[in-house]
Amino acid sequence: MKHNLILKVVSKFLIPLIFLFALYVQFHGDFGPGGGFQAGVIFSAGIILYALVFGVDSAKKVIPLHILRVLASLGVLIYAGTGVASLLLGGNYLEYGVLASTQLAGQHIGIIVIELGVGITVMAVMLIMFFAFAERGRPIEDVEDKEGSQ
Amino acid sequence: MIDSIVNITLLSLLAILAFAIIRMRSLFAVIMLFAGFSFISAGLFVAMDAADVAFTEAAVGAGISTILMLATLALTYAPEVHKKEKLPGHKPWLPLAVVLITGGMLIYGTSDIPAFGDPNAPAQQHVAPYYLEKSLSETGVPNVVTAVLASYRGFDTLGEVTVIFTAGIAVLLLIGGRRKKTKNETTEGVNET
């Protein structure tokens, strides 16, 4: 981990581009290929690359686990909440047309918002899984020592 | 012409990779070849104009799942198992027969599948024409895939997000938060759980 100078320089250059591309896929998904799911995965891949090169601890300082848990629930909440909002505005569940004055504008808002929810949840869950696996691997000697001594 | 060259090249590469994966004994190399397999599949999806699927395959199949498999390998790696591999106690003839018969039936079944992109295929007859004609005027979204996923099939996508969320909770319940009990513990780890 100490001598990976090339990896560090290249990934410092790549990670912002990965984030930018994830945001592009997220918010341009209605026009080009992609959407919330792909954007969430690409965004988490950027952070995983950071964790691989700079260590899991520094990556956890970027996005701590408790924030990831909140984000994972927040995405589902945004999605389901959009449905509730359309219910309250007098439409059916997830009927986006009632969210704005016209049908098309409402559809557009609805799709952007739920894609954002999808992206947030996917990004958070992928990182939760990665951190769970990475954390599980590290202290295994400590755990074994403790279990052996009891 | 150029399409068939690309398709034949990609499909042969897939077959070569599949055989290499079967022959390989090092799990690390197998995981790397799985990633290559996913990338070539993504290339095939691009060749079939399914850019959204290709995105997902490249990001999830080649990226995230490779990382997770590597992490699992790191967790379960046992050096002493690596030395000698035990051969299975039975002869390979019954599995071979099952594989050959199933494969033969599948190849026989492909003769009834409509040609790729056939407009008269049953899959193109049901709701697909409606989506293709109406999605732009009804949702204002040029990407039909996004229109179907987010608007027409919004309930399905909500279910999918819930599934992903549930999977995250399951991973946390199963293998998350073990660090609290280790001895040289940082304050950060204690706060997590």
Side-chain angles (χ1 to χ4, degrees):
Chain A
M1 274 296 170
K2 289 195 174 70
H3 303 290
N4 299 332
L5 184 63
I6 295 176
L7 272 183
K8 284 185 179 175
V9 172
V10 171
S11 55
K12 266 184 187 171
F13 174 73
L14 271 181
I15 288 168
L17 291 180
I18 294 174
F19 287 163
L20 197 65
F21 186 63
L23 292 175
Y24 166 78
V25 170
Q26 171 80 56
F27 293 109
H28 206 256
D30 355 354
F31 298 94
F37 186 81
Q38 289 90 340
V41 174
I42 294 172
F43 201 91
S44 63
I47 294 177
I48 289 175
L49 176 63
Y50 184 79
L52 288 179
V53 176
F54 294 91
V56 176
D57 282 333
S58 354
K60 283 190 134 176
K61 279 177 195 144
V62 180
I63 296 193
L65 201 58
H66 58 93
I67 291 183
L68 282 178
R69 290 180 189 176
V70 173
L71 283 179
S73 332
L74 182 72
V76 182
L77 197 67
I78 289 176
Y79 199 140
T82 313
V84 175
S86 65
L87 273 185
L88 293 179
L89 289 169
N92 290 323
Y93 192 71
L94 290 177
E95 184 183 340
Y96 310 132
V98 295
L99 293 174
S101 49
T102 65
Q103 160 81 12
L104 280 188
Q107 286 282 347
H108 212 82
I109 292 174
I111 289 175
I112 292 263
V113 169
I114 67 126
E115 290 278 12
L116 190 66
V118 174
I120 291 173
T121 291
V122 169
M123 187 273 288
V125 168
M126 294 295 162
L127 284 176
I128 284 175
M129 286 183 178
F130 172 72
F131 284 145
F133 275 83
E135 287 292 284
R136 179 79 170 182
R138 278 196 309 173
I140 202 157
E141 285 128 28
D142 293 351
V143 174
E144 272 171 359
D145 284 350
K146 180 130 192 182
E147 279 166 1
S149 63
Q150 275 170 353
Chain B
M1 179 62 195
I2 201 89
D3 266 7
S4 46
I5 292 177
V6 169
N7 282 337
I8 289 170
T9 314
L10 288 176
L11 285 171
S12 339
L13 278 174
L14 274 190
I16 293 169
L17 270 180
F19 276 108
I21 288 170
I22 296 171
R23 305 279 309 161
M24 199 76 79
R25 299 259 66 100
S26 155
L27 287 179
F28 181 78
V30 166
I31 292 172
M32 287 298 135
L33 287 185
F34 271 147
F37 195 92
S38 284
F39 266 124
I40 292 171
S41 313
L44 265 177
F45 291 137
V46 173
M48 290 189 277
D49 290 333
D52 291 83
V53 188
F55 249 130
T56 316
E57 181 64 42
V60 178
I64 302 284
S65 61
T66 306
I67 292 287
L68 290 185
M69 280 198 279
L70 281 178
T72 314
L73 187 65
L75 288 185
T76 54
Y77 180 71
E80 65 272 19
V81 181
H82 218 65
K83 283 176 196 158
K84 200 176 177 198
E85 196 177 358
K86 251 170 63 178
L87 287 170
H90 56 82
K91 289 272 184 285
W93 302 120
L94 178 65
L96 187 68
V98 170
V99 166
L100 283 181
I101 292 171
T102 317
M105 276 159 56
L106 285 174
I107 290 172
Y108 173 71
T110 53
S111 61
D112 277 346
I113 291 180
F116 177 68
D118 182 6
N120 296 318
Q124 323 280 14
Q125 298 283 322
H126 186 45
V127 286
Y130 179 87
Y131 290 150
L132 289 177
E133 283 166 21
K134 300 279 182 64
S135 67
L136 186 57
S137 58
E138 281 185 357
T139 66
V141 170
N143 184 354
V144 185
V145 178
T146 302
V148 172
L149 269 180
S151 187
Y152 293 109
R153 298 295 169 103
F155 275 57
D156 289 4
T157 312
L158 177 58
E160 282 164 18
V161 177
T162 316
V163 166
I164 293 170
F165 178 60
T166 316
I169 294 176
V171 168
L172 270 184
L173 280 176
L174 286 174
I175 62 171
R178 268 294 285 273
R179 293 200 66 206
K180 206 174 80 179
K181 287 181 180 166
T182 58
K183 44 187 181 183
N184 43 359
E185 192 48 67
T186 57
T187 48
E188 173 204 7
V190 174
N191 291 337
E192 277 158 17
T193 39

